[in-house]
Structure formats: structure tokens, C-alpha cells
Amino acid sequence: MSADIQSIRGWVAAARRVVVLTGAGISTESGIPDFRGPNGLWTRDPEAEKLSDIRYYLADAGVRRKAWQKRLSNPAWTAQPNAGHKAIVELENLGKLHALITQNIDGLHQKAGTSPERVIEVHGTMHSVVCWDCGWRGPMLPTLDRVRAGEEDPACGECGGILKSATILFGEGLAPGVMERASEAAVEADLLIAVGTTLQVYPVAGVVPAAKSAGARLVIINAEPTQFDRIADAVLHKPIGETLPALVG
Ligand code: NAD
Ligand code: ZN
């Protein structure tokens, strides 16, 4: 079931509490590959999934060395926000953005200008580093400098433990409170727009049916079908960078 762009623009105009849920697809037009899209990292190299699993990461120094090299060369360090990220800033400027729930770790929403307090990063951020053993946390760049200088698997300066990016890997729990914030925002929404996500990763995907059951309109923008297309009020299988601005502007 779907509505035309003009009707969806009307829903956005009438909405007062819009919650946007984003996934890796909003950042592909900034040059950051997604995981499961046609050109996704895992689609091209299923072995790469190991780098995103805490069990392999903790057990295998080889996996950690590879993960640090991937972090060094991550295109996100130099990526710029695109028209999709900017459309969400525009929603906030219009006073309509209730919350932005993102599965992304790239920080591009904040770089585009969305207020940090409106962004709920359910899967953490690659801009910080954390010690698995003592919980020490700091900015990522100084640790990347150590890798560049030759430390292949840099250890925690406080306790000698295993350092990792402050992102949530498979097999790891979410940060306390973060999912509660996301769910609360979702049920308060009058319009939920899910953008660039396959909606396969739980618990975050659960905010979509939760918002819908609580009375929100649901719009899904994604190149590929998702499991929640059937409950959506509109589904747009179109490029995000042109579609999202067309709904908001
Ligand atoms: P995903 O890779 O599973 O799915 C992305 C979806 O977006 C795909 O269905 C793809 O077809 C669609 N898509 C890609 N570019 C698009 C475009 N320009 N227009 C319309 N649709 C487009 O992503 P996910 O659901 O977010 O799950 C991946 C997990 O990996 C997340 O948990 C996230 O934390 C992490 N991740 C983050 C980044 C990032 O921060 N940019 C990148 C890769 C993976
Ligand atoms: Zn430590």
C-alpha cells in the first residue's frame, strides 16, 4: 500500500512529533558502504561479518588487527553529510523533529547539524574508543594515531585491556537506557519515517511496529523491501538523497 509524494508531504506538514529512524542506507550517498545493500560490505565479503562480532574480536588478536586497519581506512573519517542528512536538519529547524534514532555509527547526523541531544545512537559511535576490560573511554583519533605509528592492536593505557571502537558489535548488549529512550520517542511520534535500513536488526527494528501500534503514521524509504512494508502507510523504493528532501522541503 502506498501514497504519493504529495500526500506524504501533507503528512509531514501536519505532523508535530516526527521520529526518524535511520540506517546505513542514508550514508551510502556520502561514500560509506552499507552492510546488506547490493554493494554492501557483507554482501561482497561474508567473512567481514566476523569483524563485527564481539566473540571473534575478543578471542582473536588477528581479528582485532584487521579491525584496526579497517578503522584507519574507514571512509567515514572524511565523509560529508548528504541531502538526506540535511533534510532531517530541516525537519528540526521546522520544529518537528522529536527524535532521530540512528543505527549509524558515523556521526554524520551531528556533522550535518542535527542537535546531539536529539540523536539516539543505538549502536554507539566510531568516534570514541572504549576499553572492554575497565570501561575507560576516550576520543578515537589518538588511538588511531597509535595504530598508524605501528601498534597493531593497541592496549588500554589504564589497564592494558582490549580496546575497541565504542560501537555495539553482534553479541554485545546495547548501552543501558538507550533502547528505552528510542522506544519512548517512537510511541510519542505522530509520524515515523524509517530511512535506509533493512529493519532486520533488533531490538531497534521493533520501534517501527511500536510506533505504528501507538498511532503514528509510518513512511518507509528504502531501495529494497523490508518486513514492515505491509504495515506502512507509504513505502518509497527510491534514492534517499532526492526523496527525503522532497518530503520535507
Ligand atoms: P543495512 O546495510 O542492513 O541496509 C541498508 C539498506 O539501505 C539496504 O536495504 C539498501 O538497499 C538501502 N540503501 C542503501 N543506499 C540507499 C539509498 N541511497 N537510497 C535508498 N536506499 C538505500 O543497514 P542497517 O539496517 O542500518 O543495518 C546495518 C548495521 O550496520 C547497523 O546496525 C549499523 O550500526 C551498521 N552500519 C553502519 C554504517 C554507518 O554508520 N554509516 C555503515 C554500515 C553498517
Ligand atoms: Zn582498560
Side-chain angles (χ1 to χ4, degrees):
M1 153 56 187
S2 209
D4 58 25
I5 296 271
Q6 218 40 48
S7 322
I8 307 170
R9 281 175 60 90
W11 300 346
V12 174
R16 294 169 54 195
R17 288 182 310 280
V18 181
V19 170
V20 183
L21 166 64
T22 64
I26 198 170
S27 293
T28 56
E29 292 171 50
S30 294
I32 305 173
D34 58 16
F35 280 169
R36 301 182 189 82
N39 202 28
L41 292 173
W42 296 351
T43 315
R44 287 181 290 144
D45 175 15
E47 272 284 292
E49 201 163 342
K50 281 191 179 175
L51 297 179
S52 303
D53 189 308
I54 190 68
R55 289 152 290 206
Y56 290 107
Y57 191 86
L58 294 178
D60 186 344
V63 168
R64 293 199 293 279
R65 286 197 289 271
K66 202 167 163 191
W68 282 111
Q69 288 306 315
K70 288 255 181 206
R71 285 177 193 132
L72 268 190
S73 62
N74 196 314
W77 299 117
T78 50
Q80 296 303 319
N82 65 57
H85 299 101
K86 289 176 191 157
I88 301 172
V89 177
E90 180 60 18
L91 263 182
E92 183 176 358
N93 292 340
L94 293 168
K96 294 178 185 292
L97 184 70
H98 187 50
L100 169 52
I101 306 169
T102 187
Q103 301 169 83
N104 295 348
I105 56 172
D106 56 32
L108 286 185
H109 288 302
Q110 295 89 329
K111 196 168 185 179
T114 298
S115 306
E117 65 272 16
R118 299 225 176 240
V119 183
I120 306 172
E121 291 178 308
V122 282
H123 294 158
T125 174
M126 58 183 278
H127 294 274
S128 300
V129 61
V130 65
C131 172
W132 180 259
D133 296 279
C134 76
W136 173 84
R137 209 182 154 97
M140 176 57 89
L141 292 183
T143 306
L144 285 186
D145 287 339
R146 289 172 59 191
V147 179
R148 234 176 254 118
E151 290 184 62
E152 292 187 306
D153 179 21
C156 173
E158 299 292 313
C159 77
I162 293 178
L163 289 183
K164 64 185 282 293
S165 137
T167 55
I168 305 296
L169 303 184
F170 286 100
E172 210 181 328
L174 301 188
V178 109
M179 207 44 232
E180 288 75 3
R181 265 183 81 202
S183 304
E184 202 170 280
V187 299
E188 290 164 352
D190 51 14
L191 173 64
L192 186 129
I193 312 179
V195 186
T197 165
T198 50
L199 298 174
Q200 287 179 24
V201 180
Y202 280 84
V204 65
V207 305
V208 171
K212 180 71 186 170
S213 311
R217 273 206 175 101
L218 171 61
V219 175
I220 295 178
I221 309 174
N222 200 56
E224 301 171 290
T226 78
Q227 59 168 326
F228 294 124
D229 288 4
R230 65 194 160 76
I231 62 164
D233 297 281
V235 179
L236 300 167
H237 293 305
K238 290 179 191 304
I240 295 160
E242 59 191 59
T243 309
L244 200 49
L247 299 185
V248 173

